Amino acid sequence: MASLNELEILVAERTREFKALQQKSADAAGKVIGEPVAGGTGLVQVDITGRLVGIEFDQERLRSLDERRLGRQLVEAIRTAETKAATVRDVLLGEST
């Protein structure tokens, strides 16, 4: 059976690890991943969790693009950005895939 001193040391180690992970998570929270939309139509942005936070469009290119094509391009860019965000998140938080 572990002594009280050994248990206190384990608790202190886990507390330090937990605080370090909290700090990594806080640092990662402000990161935004941008992914260009095919054809230079715009840029989609997702946060580190893969949540869509913005889309910027090039108004000149947008006018001449078919809506269905634009929809497919946006979905593709968002999926790519989500994948990149997951990779960045794993690196920042020290997780393996």
Side-chain angles (χ1 to χ4, degrees), residues 6-24:
E6 291 171 329
L7 290 175
E8 288 173 343
I9 290 170
L10 285 174
V11 168
E13 287 174 2
R14 292 308 161 286
T15 300
R16 280 191 300 277
E17 291 170 359
F18 178 71
K19 287 183 180 183
L21 185 57
Q22 278 183 314
Q23 185 60 50
K24 283 182 180 182

Side-chain angles (χ1 to χ4, degrees), residues 45-82:
Q45 299 170 327
V46 299
D47 67 11
I48 202 72
T49 66
R51 183 177 59 95
L52 182 64
V53 295
I55 302 175
E56 298 173 9
F57 291 107
D58 178 322
Q59 295 299 321
E60 289 298 316
R61 292 186 178 184
L62 189 62
R63 289 186 186 117
S64 62
L65 193 61
D66 177 80
E67 295 156 354
R68 288 172 291 193
R69 183 174 174 198
L70 175 60
R72 287 189 300 272
Q73 290 174 339
L74 284 172
V75 169
E76 181 180 328
I78 291 168
R79 286 183 179 154
T80 301
E82 289 171 339

